[in-house]
Amino acid sequence: MAQAWLEVALTDLQSSRNNVRHHTEEITVDHLLVRRGQAFNLTLYFRNRGFQPGLDNIIFVVETEDAVYLDSEPQRQEYVMNDYGFIYQGSKNWIRPCPWNYGQFEEKIIDICLKLLDKSLHFQTDPATDCALRGSPIYVSRVVSAMINSNDDNGVLNGNWSENYTDGTNPAEWTGSVAILKQWYAAGCQPVRYGQCWVFAAVMCTVMRCLGIPTRVITNFDSGHDTDGNLIIDEYYDNTGRILGNKKKDTIWNFHVWNECWMARKDLPPGYGGWQVLDATPQEMSNGVYCCGPASVRAIKNGEVDLNYDTPFVFSMVNADCMSWLVQGGKEQKLHQDTSSVGNFISTKSIQSDERDDITENYKYEEGSLQERQVFLKALQKLKAERFHSSRRGADLQPSRPTPLSQDSPRSVHTPSLRPSDVVQVSLKFKLLDPPNMGQDICFVLLALNMSSQFKDLKVNLSAQSLLHDGSPLSPFWQDIAFITLSPKEAKTYPCKISYSQYSQYLSTDKLIRISALGEEKSSPEKILVNKIITLSYPSITINVLGAAVVNQSLSIQVIFSNPLSEQVEDCVLTVEGSGLFKKQQKILLGVLKPQHRASIILETVPFKSGQRQIQANMRSNKFKDIKGYRNVYVDFAL
């Protein structure tokens, strides 16, 4: 008599044990959550009879390929498991780490990330195809890049660069992704107000790490935004040295933040897998949607701008040339073309360290080298060829300004054109005399050097204006004119001071001031332009952990803060958070702080996760929005 078929009565997924082995126990131990390419155990219980080896066969069909596998355990710990980090802001002259709580293992975050995929336009249009493609990190990363912003859908964040945030949260105030994602989810998946580039990138990092894709946050200082695809960023100045709003919308962002995700790229030629750029900030459309990438970092370095996805745009962010123009009497006069001002100090957090890693060499060859110019020319030729083919297909994609490639062009691989200062043989340079602290006067000098054997009579127009971090200029608030006579080979300094009362009411949240000097010499038609971006700094919040941190035991935390200004500030609010330390973000209303007043509070919490943790804090008021601080703390297991 034939044996009866086996009937499965119960399947034990061994969720707790498997999740520990797969490093997902911080997300849940109640449901099976395993990672690609790694074995897991389960137990089958049968109803009608026991399993008989040699007689019964059980076949499992699984796919074990892992297209996002990193073979370095320290890298896996940093780029998948670490739930806090730093996002670098400021300027190339003053790089500031901003602490951030990614919180990818916090309660409900995995459910929110899966909901985010289901809310995408792709899923809404064709759910079956969308789900079938979710095994591809290329596809998933493009979907997430589009869903972090809300330009095409009910994505997570509304972008706002207007300086008016009265109906939402100033982007500078956020200290973590968890509050943002939970607010989006709780509001029925309606966009959260507001985000800017570092917030988009930080939230995308949380989602991608939660989904198991190695991800890091990248900051590019002096980041190009080339709107017409000719690899030139045009900047316009008036005769006072003031930078003008750009009619072409090209800009150099003081800094811009995006993500890199690690994945195989079988859709590209060999060698172009690994780190890929993804940018969730809604700048330009990609295939009709506001997303960007994945673009191979190696392809960007090698000028392979014809490889998917959005490689030309990313190339321009790190390696476009900058053209300066003087606008006077309705005419434009070329001042200078700079081949090295875009793409500096490209930064990310170091592996298992709080230090900053400079990864500029991953994106381009050394500025000024023959290799760098050869790659630039290669990229430009590929873009011209693409435009030619597009125009043959009927598309009008020609750039608004021609890009000649003659041998005497500064875009060739030969020596760039002479600077006006080389022609006039006069050098101008700004130098700060003291650190630029918020609430204090800004003291600096203009250094003028005559490099010739002739007398030089200079007229120099000086100005200062606030900038947004995306390069948008605000109205000038300070101007001066200097008349400087230089003997042969002589150097002179012209002292300048901008008082707090002069700049305080004109500052943006970014606290950036651009000082400019436009000099001319009587005997030459050439004009010399020099500028410097000053980032005003605040004293940071100090956080002290009082006693040993142990899981499920009360912990006291002291937060010390101060009003750095010589005037009273109102509506002060302190926010504190930290994954594994606080169940939710803490908000403390501080009210009014007197001038230069220093105070502290004690917070009580009960850590609920062990290991290395970080506390992030931010204080805002009616006068400032982002005085920040952080403290790392190691939480022990309970004895």
Side-chain angles (χ1 to χ4, degrees), residues 456-468:
K456 298 288 183 179
D457 285 319
L458 299 179
K459 176 187 176 184
V460 184
N461 290 294
L462 300 110
S463 67
Q465 62 194 128
S466 287
L467 288 182
L468 304 185

Side-chain angles (χ1 to χ4, degrees), residues 358-555:
D358 189 309
I359 58 170
T360 308
E361 66 176 9
N362 293 0
Y363 281 85
K364 57 183 180 180
Y365 294 97
E366 185 178 357
E367 289 288 0
S369 68
L370 180 63
Q371 239 177 342
E372 186 272 334
R373 282 291 93 185
Q374 288 173 331
V375 167
F376 183 94
L377 183 59
K378 172 184 176 182
L380 197 61
Q381 295 282 24
K382 283 178 178 283
L383 291 176
K384 285 172 67 71
E386 173 60 26
R387 287 197 189 92
F388 174 76
H389 293 310
S390 296
S391 64
R392 294 285 296 269
R393 294 192 296 267
D396 183 15
L397 297 178
Q398 293 300 317
S400 58
R401 191 181 302 277
T403 55
L405 291 172
S406 60
Q407 286 300 302
D408 59 353
S409 164
R411 316 190 117 35
S412 73
V413 297
H414 298 281
T415 304
S417 61
L418 288 174
R419 290 176 175 267
S421 58
D422 298 326
V423 177
V424 182
Q425 292 189 292
V426 171
S427 167
L428 296 178
K429 184 180 180 181
F430 285 117
K431 181 181 179 181
L432 285 169
L433 298 179
D434 300 299
N437 294 320
M438 176 61 73
Q440 299 178 8
D441 297 344
I442 302 170
C443 297
F444 59 98
V445 294
L446 177 69
L447 304 173
L449 171 65
N450 182 2
M451 298 178 286
S452 75
S453 56
Q454 312 286 326
F455 280 90
K456 298 288 183 179
D457 285 319
L458 299 179
K459 176 187 176 184
V460 184
N461 290 294
L462 300 110
S463 67
Q465 62 194 128
S466 287
L467 288 182
L468 304 185
H469 94 274
D470 67 356
S472 302
L474 302 182
S475 298
F477 55 81
W478 176 86
Q479 290 183 332
D480 193 9
I481 299 177
F483 295 93
I484 304 173
T485 300
L486 295 170
S487 301
K489 307 295 182 179
E490 184 183 15
K492 283 186 178 179
T493 61
Y494 182 80
C496 304
K497 184 174 79 169
I498 305 174
S499 67
Y500 174 66
S501 61
Q502 285 178 299
Y503 71 74
S504 61
Q505 64 192 48
Y506 296 99
L507 273 185
S508 71
T509 305
D510 301 301
K511 305 180 294 298
L512 301 172
I513 294 176
R514 183 174 191 148
I515 51 176
S516 299
L518 186 66
E520 52 185 315
E521 203 272 328
K522 285 182 179 179
S523 62
S524 172
E526 295 284 349
K527 291 181 169 58
I528 311 163
L529 175 69
V530 62
N531 54 60
K532 183 180 185 69
I533 293 177
I534 298 170
T535 306
L536 294 164
S537 63
Y538 288 120
S540 60
I541 293 172
T542 300
I543 302 173
N544 297 318
V545 177
L546 308 180
V550 180
V551 170
N552 295 328
Q553 293 185 16
S554 181
L555 178 67

Side-chain angles (χ1 to χ4, degrees), residues 109-138:
I109 294 299
I110 183 66
D111 299 323
I112 295 171
C113 293
L114 296 175
K115 173 64 75 173
L116 182 146
L117 297 179
D118 290 347
K119 284 292 182 179
S120 74
L121 294 177
H122 299 272
F123 183 84
Q124 300 295 321
T125 305
D126 187 350
T129 301
D130 176 80
C131 289
L133 290 171
R134 288 187 184 179
S136 164
I138 300 169

Side-chain angles (χ1 to χ4, degrees), residues 54-68:
L55 178 64
D56 296 320
N57 290 309
I58 299 175
I59 299 174
F60 295 94
V61 179
V62 294
E63 183 177 341
T64 59
E65 180 186 19
D66 188 357
V68 298

Side-chain angles (χ1 to χ4, degrees), residues 148-305:
I148 297 300
N149 69 71
S150 62
N151 285 43
D152 313 289
D153 42 48
N154 282 335
V156 176
L157 281 159
N158 273 340
N160 186 343
W161 288 264
S162 72
E163 289 289 290
N164 180 10
Y165 311 111
T166 53
D167 58 345
T169 299
N170 187 314
E173 295 178 30
W174 297 113
T175 52
S177 307
V178 176
I180 295 169
L181 288 166
K182 287 188 174 182
Q183 183 177 328
W184 175 77
Y185 189 68
C189 304
Q190 293 300 305
V192 175
R193 300 171 180 171
Y194 290 102
Q196 290 183 8
C197 65
W198 69 92
V199 187
F200 289 113
V203 175
M204 182 159 184
C205 182
T206 296
V207 174
M208 298 302 275
R209 286 186 183 180
C210 184
L211 297 176
I213 298 175
T215 303
R216 58 189 186 181
V217 177
I218 309 297
T219 301
N220 178 36
F221 292 94
D222 300 327
S223 187
H225 184 178
D226 175 25
T227 58
D228 54 16
N230 66 352
L231 301 186
I232 303 176
I233 308 296
D234 293 293
E235 289 192 323
Y236 297 89
Y237 295 82
D238 68 9
N239 60 2
T240 69
R242 174 173 68 107
I243 190 169
L244 303 173
N246 194 330
K247 55 191 175 184
K248 275 179 51 182
K249 303 302 181 184
D250 284 0
T251 51
I252 296 180
W253 293 36
N254 210 51
F255 68 89
H256 181 51
V257 185
W258 60 71
N259 298 102
E260 285 179 5
C261 296
W262 181 275
M263 65 185 73
R265 290 297 301 271
K266 292 187 176 179
D267 59 319
L268 301 182
Y272 290 104
W275 289 117
Q276 312 289 314
V277 170
L278 286 133
D279 191 348
T281 301
Q283 297 182 86
E284 302 291 329
M285 282 190 162
S286 174
N287 294 340
V289 177
Y290 279 99
C291 68
C292 180
S296 165
V297 173
R298 181 169 291 182
I300 295 160
K301 180 170 184 174
N302 292 335
E304 302 293 351
V305 293

